[in-house]
Amino acid sequence: MGFLTKAEARADEKIVTTPESNSTSSDKPKTEKNSYNDQDSSPKEWGYDLYPERRSEGFKPKWSRVFLGLEGHENIDKLKCERNVYWCAKNSPLVKLMMGALKSSGCPIDLRRHISCEVCDTTVTGGYDPVLNQIVVCQNMARKQGMVQGVLTHEMIHMFDYCNNELDFRNIDHLACTEIRAANLAHCSFLSAMMQGDASLFNIKQAHQNCVKSKALASVLAVRNVSRQAAIEAVERVFPKCYNDLEPIGRRIRRNSPDQHRAYMEGPMYGYDVY
């Protein structure tokens, strides 16, 4: 296997609404699938230790946790997760916009092929696997529709970047850029910045940028075995360009605002075949 990009943490459960893309036959990422094979021997370095079902051994419930009722109902969780994914694909403005943008870019999404509900480490809610071109929704962590929408939007931005921009997740600058874009377009608001300590009433102007930098940094550190200083330098290096890239949503989504619906309605203006 290769590695996955990390979705936002549990604290963002009430994020704006929000894994996937590319056709099963002629999708772009398939042409580069073998380029990641040299990373197969180091799953920890690339984040695969966070997604046990991405590894050959799969997820194995512990009998002690089964006895306590904490594990052992994975099939039920998977069914609920898939139901939430389907609901988001039909009802979430941002998810529908992202699916339309991916389709217009030549990377249409098949829910059964490109989105997978799996058991994950408790530190993540989802991820994007560029090797299999799949979005992972963590069924044990993203249990509500709002959280699933956030995961889908976040990871579809990674998929969109991979489809359109020849993204190389092994390049830390590329990884930092797509994490900046995902946090910028799908997650950060003044309220969320306040909740994680990145803003106050005295630095409102920088609140959103600080939130984006913090989330991007946390995501890079979660999936790459690099020093904190190296991750910070990568985020700062690409931040101006990537922060100002609003494609394909076209605007930064404010919490509890009509921005999601506006972005969806504006999709055709940018040539996106919204669903």
Side-chain angles (χ1 to χ4, degrees):
M1 290 292 178
F3 55 90
L4 291 90
T5 57
K6 175 178 170 290
E8 291 309 309
R10 294 176 280 184
D12 292 314
E13 182 173 7
K14 297 182 180 178
I15 318 178
V16 290
T17 49
T18 3
E20 261 217 78
S21 155
N22 283 35
S23 63
T24 56
S25 57
S26 60
D27 45 357
K28 294 179 184 177
K30 277 193 173 180
T31 63
E32 298 181 0
K33 180 176 180 179
N34 292 333
S35 66
Y36 293 92
N37 287 346
D38 59 334
Q39 306 298 344
D40 291 358
S41 60
S42 55
K44 237 179 197 183
E45 181 178 356
W46 300 99
Y48 268 86
D49 57 320
L50 302 176
Y51 307 87
E53 293 193 38
R54 300 275 108 178
R55 305 196 301 262
S56 58
E57 65 266 25
F59 173 75
K60 298 177 181 178
K62 297 180 179 178
W63 69 267
S64 58
R65 294 180 63 84
V66 172
F67 179 77
L68 295 173
L70 301 176
E71 293 178 353
H73 41 74
E74 286 73 30
N75 290 336
I76 296 176
D77 288 344
K78 186 179 187 70
L79 181 61
K80 292 179 178 178
C81 174
E82 291 174 345
R83 187 178 300 158
N84 285 335
V85 168
Y86 181 79
W87 184 92
C88 292
K90 295 299 181 182
N91 297 284
S92 167
L94 286 185
V95 172
K96 292 194 293 182
L97 172 59
M98 290 304 305
M99 291 178 68
L102 284 161
K103 180 180 179 182
S104 298
S105 301
C107 304
I109 288 183
D110 182 331
L111 295 181
R112 293 170 296 180
R113 160 64 179 84
H114 295 108
I115 301 179
S116 176
C117 290
E118 301 178 8
V119 178
C120 310
D121 186 90
T122 56
T123 61
V124 293
T125 56
Y128 173 56
D129 185 344
V131 176
L132 299 179
N133 191 33
Q134 282 188 328
I135 290 172
V136 176
V137 180
C138 298
Q139 63 189 49
N140 57 321
M141 300 305 299
R143 296 180 178 276
K144 297 182 180 180
Q145 289 177 350
M147 179 64 84
V148 173
Q149 290 176 90
V151 171
L152 291 177
T153 300
H154 183 110
E155 303 306 334
M156 283 182 180
I157 291 172
H158 295 326
M159 183 174 280
F160 180 86
D161 289 345
Y162 191 51
C163 175
N164 288 277
N165 302 319
E166 299 182 357
L167 195 68
D168 182 1
F169 285 102
R170 297 167 298 178
N171 184 317
I172 192 171
D173 284 3
H174 288 200
L175 176 60
C177 184
T178 191
E179 292 294 354
I180 289 169
R181 283 180 24 79
N184 184 25
L185 295 172
H187 293 289
C188 283
S189 65
F190 178 74
L191 180 58
S192 61
M194 285 285 289
M195 291 175 63
Q196 65 183 44
D198 291 323
S200 71
L201 295 177
F202 303 101
N203 66 341
I204 295 177
K205 184 176 180 180
Q206 292 296 320
H208 190 267
Q209 293 188 19
N210 292 341
C211 175
V212 171
K213 288 181 179 180
S214 294
K215 290 184 181 295
L217 175 63
S219 294
V220 171
L221 289 174
V223 298
R224 287 295 299 271
N225 187 20
V226 297
S227 68
R228 183 178 181 84
Q229 184 60 35
I232 291 175
E233 291 175 355
V235 169
E236 293 291 348
R237 198 159 47 235
V238 302
F239 188 81
K241 180 178 180 179
C242 301
Y243 181 75
N244 291 318
D245 183 0
L246 304 181
E247 192 177 5
I249 294 177
R251 61 172 68 230
R252 297 182 179 95
I253 305 300
R254 296 170 297 175
R255 190 188 298 268
N256 299 325
S257 75
D259 288 349
Q260 300 173 44
H261 297 279
R262 289 173 180 168
Y264 176 74
M265 297 302 295
E266 292 167 355
M269 297 171 59
Y270 297 97
Y272 298 134
D273 184 15
V274 296
Y275 286 30

